């Protein structure tokens, strides 16, 4: 990955995730993500039952698009998504990973017990993508 494009993913936290619908057209979802440049991977907390999750289960190819506020720079990361199991217990490995993602993006939660319970109630899971291709433009 070129350093400038990777820097966009490090600097930003919000983007549009494109998955593929059954008919082949893109389905776009606004997401908040965590990018790990050392592993060329991004992670997203999401919920079971959403269109993006159903699309990924059928076809794991995804793209994540990010842009600066001015629109003068953008980057697209392509890869194959992997979905964790759905959070089933407030102390399972999925909830622990969701906490790790939350902390890296937003810092400390005011009530971790409440957060853990919500992850199970919401049927949360982690969407992980290792970047296979990166492209974009920086003006």
């Amino acid at each position: 990955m070129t350093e400038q494009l990777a820097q966009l993913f490090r600097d930003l936290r919000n983007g549009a995730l494109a998955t593929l619908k059954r008919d082949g057209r893109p389905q776009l979802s606004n997401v908040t993500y965590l990018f790990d440049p050392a592993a060329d991977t991004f992670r997203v907390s999401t919920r079971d039952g959403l269109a993006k999750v159903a699309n990924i289960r059928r076809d794991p190819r995804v793209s994540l698009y990010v842009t600066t506020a001015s629109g003068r720079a953008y980057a697209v990361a392509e890869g194959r998504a992997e979905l964790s199991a759905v959070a089933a217990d407030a102390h399972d490995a999925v909830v622990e990973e969701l906490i790790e993602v939350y902390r890296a993006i937003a810092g400390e939660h005011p009530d971790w017990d409440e957060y853990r319970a919500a992850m199970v109630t919401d049927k949360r899971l982690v969407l992980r993508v290792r970047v296979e291709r990166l492209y974009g433009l920086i003006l």
Side-chain angles (χ1 to χ4, degrees), residues 46-68:
T46 189
R47 295 188 329 267
D48 196 27
L50 294 179
K52 67 178 156 275
V53 172
N55 291 341
I56 288 167
R57 285 188 173 130
R58 189 178 49 261
D59 185 337
R61 295 176 296 162
V62 301
S63 297
L64 179 65
Y65 167 84
V66 298
T67 188
T68 58

Side-chain angles (χ1 to χ4, degrees), residues 39-114:
D40 288 339
T41 301
F42 64 86
R43 293 185 286 175
V44 174
S45 170
T46 189
R47 295 188 329 267
D48 196 27
L50 294 179
K52 67 178 156 275
V53 172
N55 291 341
I56 288 167
R57 285 188 173 130
R58 189 178 49 261
D59 185 337
R61 295 176 296 162
V62 301
S63 297
L64 179 65
Y65 167 84
V66 298
T67 188
T68 58
S70 70
R72 294 186 54 86
Y74 77 91
V76 178
E78 296 178 337
R80 293 184 183 276
E82 169 190 300
L83 298 170
S84 73
V86 175
D89 179 88
H91 297 282
D92 67 17
V94 176
V95 173
E96 296 303 325
E97 186 174 2
L98 288 162
I99 288 171
E100 179 184 329
V101 170
Y102 182 98
R103 273 189 173 131
I105 292 171
E108 290 301 314
H109 190 278
D111 187 338
W112 285 114
D113 289 336
E114 177 187 355

Side-chain angles (χ1 to χ4, degrees), residues 3 32 39 67-68 123 135:
E3 183 54 36
T32 300
T67 188
T68 58
K123 297 182 180 176
Y135 63 92

Side-chain angles (χ1 to χ4, degrees), residues 6-18:
Q7 187 66 42
L8 282 178
F9 281 99
R10 284 193 294 275
D11 291 346
L12 303 170
R13 288 282 185 248
N14 297 304
L17 182 75

